[in-house]
Amino acid sequence: MTEKKRITDRALREAFGGTGDFVVRNVDVGRWRLRVYFIDGLTSGGDISDFVVKPLSKVLEGARVGELLERAVNGAVYNAVAEPASDLDAAISKLLNGFTLVLFPGESTALAFETKTTVDRGPSEPSVENTVKGAKDAFTENMRINTSLLRRHMRSASLRFTQCVAGKRTQTNISVAWVEGVTGKELVDRTVERLEKLELESLATPAAVEESITGSRRTAFPLLQYTERTDRFITALLDGRIGILVDGLPMGYLAPVDLGRLMTSPEDLSRDYVSASAIRVIRYGALLVSLLLPALYVAMAAFHQEMIPTKLLLAIIESKESVPFPTILEVLGLLLAFEILQEAGLQLPQSIGQTVSIIGGLVVGTAAVEAKLISPAPLIVVSVAGICGFALPGRDFADAIRIWRLLLAILASVGGLFGLSAGFLLLTGHLAGLRSYGVPYLSPFSAATGGGAVLRKRLEHQRREAA
């Protein structure tokens, strides 16, 4: 067991190594000299002066050394939060979280006063999950602002937040959100235990958070769902799922996740059930078209031409008379070009990215067809598949579909429909083997349906049997 280090002026100075934003100030109170420590930028200078230094100078004057800490703790210093720090690690943690630390002479315990700065980005409209109806507030990088936004959407004492810290270097604050009486306690305990056992240097990126919570996985499909919408987050909590908020990331994570939830859009919650059901059916159709259409075209055009209607086959043959490349290379090349074009649009500023998309999609594509480098049919097939991929709600899920679309096209170019069928069966088996917190990934299509409500009933049944 690691021995706790005592708080001293020298230990605090050595811990921060003379960094420029670590400020130390001496405050004389009667015959005693107090030392005040804070991190410039994380704290408010006005609050330190009004709610720490001024009360200490006035109220504690004339007190004996043994009374200084006791009187400060009991309210002589009018600050909303005054918490003792009994060891060096606790003192450093308070300083890094926007507290002002006061070290009293002759005492082994320092006192931390909350003086956090109020410079934060306020809630704004969602930039990705836009809807016509519904709330317009999105998560920010400040976890406390995010928890307050959730409280405004759900004014109930049953909303719980369990906080822990992860990352040896970053010391990232994480909150696990859940609803008492709705979410299974085993699900919460499992998540908190996994977070507390993390031994990472840093937890500052979304990929680090997802891999740490779900563990190492050999799949491109997401095992956590993320959202930037507070109303969607609350709706998921009320369905029995757990939420995870990470300080510094403007999003919330939800678990467990399955195919049905990944194919649900925030706009579905604002529609009537008839319209939402119809749009969801179209969305599943877009999923199949985006995944299978390029591979199906390659298989039929290169191996099974007898399956293509005669007029369509003649049109394809006529358009390929002057094209020097086979159909397989056309489709694979266009798929790769589409991925490169999409990645280029993401890396550039928004205005330039839109220009690149227009130039690459229209000008270059049209010029390539007119120059007889590619035929029109593969260009249309890849374009339709790409547009259908944009109809998928989750970006992580859409990225996984893009990877498998290319793999299926390669298998179809090798074995025709037999290769496509083998690849599709491989994908189905892969998805059937995935679990998110014990919930089958193919829910609600699998026999063992998952989801928050079903998981909660299963846990309640296990508790009744144990009793």
Side-chain angles (χ1 to χ4, degrees), residues 121-133:
R121 182 176 69 90
S124 59
E125 293 189 11
S127 59
V128 178
E129 298 174 286
N130 289 315
T131 60
V132 177
K133 302 177 183 177

Side-chain angles (χ1 to χ4, degrees), residues 143 164-167 170-176 191 194-196 198 200-217 222-227 233 242-255 396 437:
M143 188 178 68
C164 54
V165 179
T170 57
Q171 291 291 296
T172 305
N173 292 319
I174 303 175
S175 281
V176 179
T191 304
R194 183 176 296 179
L195 291 172
E196 290 178 344
L198 292 179
L200 298 174
E201 293 292 321
S202 171
L203 199 71
T205 63
V209 175
E210 295 166 16
E211 291 179 4
S212 302
I213 296 174
T214 60
S216 179
R217 62 189 194 278
L223 299 181
L224 282 179
Q225 184 181 17
Y226 74 89
T227 179
F233 194 88
I242 60 169
I244 301 169
L245 299 174
V246 181
D247 200 15
L249 297 181
M251 65 186 72
Y253 291 96
L254 298 169
D396 287 348
Y437 281 82

